[in-house]
Amino acid sequence: MRSDHHSHLEQSGASDESIQQVHTRLQAQKPEKKEGNPRFPLVLLGITCAAIFFGSIYLAHYSSRFDPLIYNENQKPVKQAAGGPVITPAMLGKRVFTANCVTCHQATGQGQPGVYPPLAGSEWVLEPQHEKHMIAIVLHGLNGPITVKGNSFNSAMTPFGGILRDEQIANVLTYIRSEWGNNAPPITPEQVAAVRAELGARGPFTVQELSNLK
Ligand code: HEC
């Protein structure tokens, strides 16, 4: 269109000045061009990105891969209703035990003779000098020979440090220390966190390595 105008004006011997006037007029007729896409302003884009970002962080932190037995968006125990049933760490620990430990150590805590050692009456669960060992076993797993209540076992336990939070490990250990006639003090999340921090990333322990722990 514009080049048509151009050549037409040139043929008719128009002066530079009149060409410029025509250009100015054509320029004024052109619709005004707006910046960006008016239907999706930059601010909205920013808010959407922020929402997706925080949503992902929240899910990664709290979903526990949506395991129905683990998923709990309230990291702290549920608030007690006045006069309602009291929810103790041991009760929360029983849920963790049922989801993660019961297949081997059994609901009775007796394990299976020759295969899975008992937790009921176990010196590894009850005795103060084994407290750190017990936490280490659940965090990192155990391989090779171990003697429990005078019986030998030589198998492997998988690590749980990667799938259970400090609070969940503390709760399950508090549970196994207070169930089946066991009676040893509770384990706190802070104790688990301290052992986790001290040991760092590593493979399963042997009993020999446990006894070398300071
Ligand atoms: C796949 C089976 C299996 C699962 C699941 C399992 N354990 Fe074990 N656990 C074992 C075996 C086997 C040993 C002995 C390992 C060895 O022989 O070196 C053991 C050893 C232990 C010990 C020390 C020995 C004793 O009997 O006192 C503790 C404490 C323990 N497990 C606690 C747990 C807790 C708590 C869980 C759940 C978070 C758990 N285990 C889940 C198989 C399992």
Side-chain angles (χ1 to χ4, degrees):
M1 284 289 268
R2 287 179 72 183
S3 60
D4 279 349
H5 271 286
H6 227 135
S7 52
H8 175 73
L9 287 167
E10 267 164 14
Q11 274 164 22
S12 64
S15 72
D16 279 355
E17 208 181 300
S18 66
I19 291 174
Q20 209 143 33
Q21 280 170 0
V22 171
H23 273 197
T24 314
R25 216 176 55 225
L26 287 173
Q27 204 75 40
Q29 284 169 0
K30 275 207 303 187
E32 213 179 292
K33 208 173 163 225
K34 291 214 181 91
E35 287 282 323
N37 185 344
R39 278 177 301 181
F40 205 72
L42 209 59
V43 181
L44 191 55
L45 181 68
I47 293 173
T48 310
C49 289
I52 292 170
F53 177 73
F54 286 112
S56 319
I57 300 281
Y58 186 89
L59 275 187
H61 199 81
Y62 292 114
S63 69
S64 290
R65 300 191 200 104
F66 293 106
D67 183 329
L69 286 160
I70 296 174
Y71 180 70
N72 174 16
E73 69 173 85
N74 306 304
Q75 290 231 30
K76 298 273 165 269
V78 186
K79 279 227 175 67
Q80 307 291 326
V86 175
I87 301 171
T88 63
M91 285 163 76
L92 294 171
K94 184 175 184 173
R95 288 205 321 193
V96 180
F97 184 84
T98 306
N100 298 281
C101 324
V102 78
T103 45
C104 299
H105 294 288
Q106 305 299 308
T108 57
Q110 298 297 332
Q112 259 171 42
V115 192
Y116 303 122
L119 301 177
S122 161
E123 64 269 37
W124 296 90
V125 175
L126 296 172
E127 288 184 13
Q129 78 266 25
H130 286 312
E131 194 173 280
K132 189 174 179 182
H133 301 159
M134 174 186 70
I135 298 171
I137 289 171
V138 175
L139 279 172
H140 293 289
L142 185 70
N143 273 336
I146 181 173
T147 303
V148 183
K149 291 172 81 178
N151 295 313
S152 311
F153 299 83
N154 190 352
S155 182
M157 173 167 145
T158 48
F160 286 89
I163 59 170
L164 296 178
R165 299 189 307 266
D166 295 341
E167 189 191 16
Q168 293 176 303
I169 292 176
N171 287 343
V172 75
L173 293 178
T174 297
Y175 170 71
I176 67 172
R177 295 183 114 198
S178 61
E179 189 70 12
W180 317 300
N182 284 359
N183 188 8
I187 299 292
T188 66
E190 290 72 27
Q191 282 174 284
V192 179
V195 177
R196 191 195 282 272
E198 183 190 322
L199 298 178
R202 56 156 298 141
F205 276 95
T206 62
V207 167
Q208 184 60 51
E209 288 169 336
L210 285 177
S211 62
N212 289 340
L213 281 183
K214 294 278 162 333

